[in-house]
Amino acid sequence: MTSAPAARRGRRAPRGTAAVVGVVALLGAWWLFSATAFVPAPGTTFTPVPDPWTVFATIASDGLPAYWPVFQVTISEALLGFAWGNAIALLLASVVLLVPKAETVVTQIAVVSYCLPVVAVGGIAVVVLPVAKRAGDLSATAVFLAALAVFFTTVVGALVGFKAADRASLDVVRVYGGSRLTQLRKVRLIAAAPAILNALQIAVPTAFLGAILGEYMGSIDQGVGITLIKLQGDLDSPRVWAVFLLTALVALLGYALLGLLSRIVTPWVAGARS
């Protein structure tokens, strides 16, 4: 006799089918919205929301290589900010385990970093940090905002993961004379791996968004943010939406890659879910 959970799993739609249905629904809503709410005024062809087919045709006519120099800079900024922000976050979370009294201070730092207004912080970063001197150079402001964007999520995820360690395993290490550092290496890191990887997965699109916001602050000649500003000034709505779609695709790809890495590194979690 088939159990109820097994029957529910059998009725569940495949993950790929759900994704296709979602994409088709979004495209249909986008087309309907552009065809009804944003019809060009009589005698003009401009619309702030072009239909999906116009945007896809624009990407096809321009060619993906034309967009690569723009995205290369922003992706590099996001990766650098991702590395710095997560490294500092994991370091502080590890300090909490070695010095438990520091948890309140570290948590407050993470909360403050999350609550800081991006516009104000970005303005200060533009003044303090060095500017890009040549086209293609990275923006220090974009790297900083990308690091700031991922800091809170990773600190919280790491602290939650470290506290999920099995108490009996920690006691075994303690009985055999192991220090807090040994507990961290032998038990807590393994227990925290799923939570940390989930936090890093969430941080990928967040870092990319932070880099784009940093480019909006200026001090750069090439990148997704400055390109959007130029296209908006030219009222080139098809290419604005093209860059938007490619931005979403890059963020989604990075998110999926971290998800795949998480399944490879922590196979016991995937096994438990299945």
Side-chain angles (χ1 to χ4, degrees), residues 33 40 65 67 73 77 80 84 90 111 116 128 188 204 229 244 254:
F33 196 59
Y67 293 92
V73 175
E77 293 164 346
L80 192 57
W84 274 107
L90 292 175
V111 172
L116 288 174
V128 175
R188 293 190 184 273
V204 171
I229 293 175
F244 163 74

Side-chain angles (χ1 to χ4, degrees), residues 47-74:
T47 174
V49 184
D51 61 79
W53 329 122
T54 301
V55 176
F56 294 147
T58 300
I59 296 176
S61 63
D62 292 341
L64 290 178
Y67 293 92
W68 173 242
V70 172
F71 279 87
Q72 184 179 16
V73 175
T74 308

Side-chain angles (χ1 to χ4, degrees), residues 62-198:
D62 292 341
L64 290 178
Y67 293 92
W68 173 242
V70 172
F71 279 87
Q72 184 179 16
V73 175
T74 308
I75 291 174
S76 299
E77 293 164 346
L79 287 175
L80 192 57
F82 178 88
W84 274 107
N86 288 315
I88 296 173
L90 292 175
L91 177 62
L92 289 180
S94 302
V95 168
V96 170
L97 294 180
L98 301 177
V99 186
K101 292 183 179 180
E103 180 175 1
T104 302
V105 176
V106 172
T107 303
Q108 288 177 349
I109 292 174
V111 172
V112 169
S113 71
Y114 183 76
C115 296
L116 288 174
V118 176
V119 176
V121 175
I124 295 174
V126 169
V127 176
V128 175
L129 299 176
V131 300
K133 297 180 180 180
R134 299 183 303 273
D137 286 352
L138 305 185
S139 168
T141 301
V143 173
F144 174 74
L145 289 184
L148 185 65
V150 306
F151 181 76
F152 173 79
T153 305
T154 304
V155 167
V156 173
L159 289 177
V160 171
F162 286 147
K163 292 179 180 179
D166 180 59
R167 184 60 57 183
S169 300
L170 295 174
D171 291 339
V172 170
V173 175
R174 188 183 302 111
V175 168
Y176 279 92
S179 63
R180 291 182 182 273
L181 183 59
T182 304
Q183 290 178 338
L184 176 63
R185 291 189 296 105
K186 299 292 186 178
V187 180
R188 293 190 184 273
L189 282 177
I190 298 175
I196 292 175
L197 288 171
N198 285 338

Side-chain angles (χ1 to χ4, degrees), residues 13-28:
R15 191 173 297 179
T17 302
V20 171
V21 172
V23 170
V24 171
L26 283 175
L27 291 177

